[in-house]
Amino acid sequence: MPEPIIKIHDLAWIRLGAPDLDQAEGFLTDFGLLRQVRTDDALYMRGTGEAQHIHITERGPDRVLAIGFLAESEADLHRLAREAAGASGVEPLNQPGGGKRVRLKEHNGFTIEVVHGTPTVAKLPERHSVMNTGAARERLGEFQRITPRPCQVKRIGHAVLSTPDIEGSVAWAQLHLGFVVSEHVHAEDDPDLLLASFNRADRGEEFVDHHIMMFGRHHRAGLNHVSFEVQDIDDLHAGHDWLKAQGRQHLWGIGRHLLGSQIFDYWKDPWGRVHEHWTDTDVLNAAMAPRKVPKSEGLRSQWGPQAPQEFREAASV
Ligand SMILES: [Fe+2]
């Protein structure tokens, strides 16, 4: 594998187009995001974490406009602009918070924005459930009360692309974004037929989420889903009930993935783009060698429902 041009630090945001910002904000508010800024043409939503925004909607056709990643430094932006084929120059980010970016086209033609210099904001207060488990009593003299409410999205976690040329997509992302493989899923009867590739950010010894970007083999290229971390399992369930009560479109969950181990719940926005809530991910570091697993051990739920066909077919463009 060639040396990557840069190693990105984390995911920054998803940028989607939508014809109606009121509808977009309604869904995203029910989903647990908070409005940071809204202009005539765009909606910037944040979580409780330090990022100014993690979900951007631009008024226009319902399109996947870009997936944004955070660079470690401005020097990395310049390196990418210089060395990546087809990259834009380093350009100012003309949006609230500012910063700089380089735009690239990934293997299927989707826009990747690599960004740096958008200042962080103060974290917001978060609700956490303290659980008394079979192993330990940690909530002493306090009652557990969960009121009906949207969940609290903390941060953006990962994006998943469906792609007809999975090997090409993974190679592109490894070269331009510096991902390392956490797990590869292959066909049951053919260890060389790659079906899914779970990639994480390379931060060396530091433990990071099991995947920041996953690629799934599919006949159509598109965004399969974008995913956000919520506070804990109570928060995820409360958010589920809230979205259901508002008549939002549920797709899959609640369950626990095998690869990545997240407790998950999937919803569709008003234009059918799949948004995931998860809590409790595996975290890995450089000490963990890439793993290879057959489909029967990979793409399934440990508990909860298995993936419906509609989820497997999801590929928004
Ligand atoms: Fe996911």
Side-chain angles (χ1 to χ4, degrees), residues 26-84:
F27 168 76
L28 294 170
T29 303
D30 287 339
F31 187 75
L33 288 155
L34 302 164
R35 182 208 280 199
Q36 173 75 349
V37 180
R38 180 162 163 185
T39 67
D40 288 344
D41 300 318
L43 169 67
Y44 300 85
M45 303 290 281
R46 66 172 291 183
T48 56
E50 289 183 323
Q52 292 231 7
H53 24 259
I54 55 178
H55 193 295
I56 302 169
T57 309
E58 294 185 5
R59 189 192 300 281
D62 60 304
R63 293 275 182 276
V64 176
L65 299 176
I67 303 171
F69 290 92
L70 294 176
E72 292 278 2
S73 66
E74 192 175 326
D76 276 355
L77 295 189
H78 287 280
R79 184 157 181 219
L80 203 54
R82 216 168 43 235
E83 295 183 23

Side-chain angles (χ1 to χ4, degrees), residues 6 8 10-17 53-58 63-71 77 80 91 93 95 100-116 156-163 169 172-173 176-177 179 199 211-216 221-228 273-275 315-317:
I6 66 164
I8 55 87
D10 206 349
L11 197 54
W13 53 62
I14 186 80
R15 189 186 294 275
L16 301 176
H53 24 259
I54 55 178
H55 193 295
I56 302 169
T57 309
E58 294 185 5
R63 293 275 182 276
V64 176
L65 299 176
I67 303 171
F69 290 92
L70 294 176
L77 295 189
L80 203 54
E91 50 191 28
L93 258 171
Q95 63 185 37
K100 292 181 178 174
R101 76 173 170 192
V102 172
R103 282 172 297 126
L104 304 157
K105 294 277 185 205
E106 63 79 51
H107 193 61
N108 295 290
F110 290 102
T111 299
I112 301 292
E113 297 175 300
V114 180
V115 304
H116 188 263
I156 189 167
H158 60 258
V160 174
L161 283 183
S162 300
T163 173
S169 295
W172 187 93
H176 294 84
L177 306 172
F179 295 157
N199 296 262
H211 57 280
I212 189 169
M213 204 160 177
M214 191 271 233
F215 298 93
L223 179 74
N224 176 266
H225 69 270
V226 59
S227 184
F228 299 85
R273 283 83 63 101
V274 180
H275 289 56
S316 298
V317 293

Side-chain angles (χ1 to χ4, degrees), residues 223-235:
L223 179 74
N224 176 266
H225 69 270
V226 59
S227 184
F228 299 85
E229 183 176 7
V230 302
Q231 306 299 329
D232 54 34
I233 191 167
D234 264 333
D235 197 43

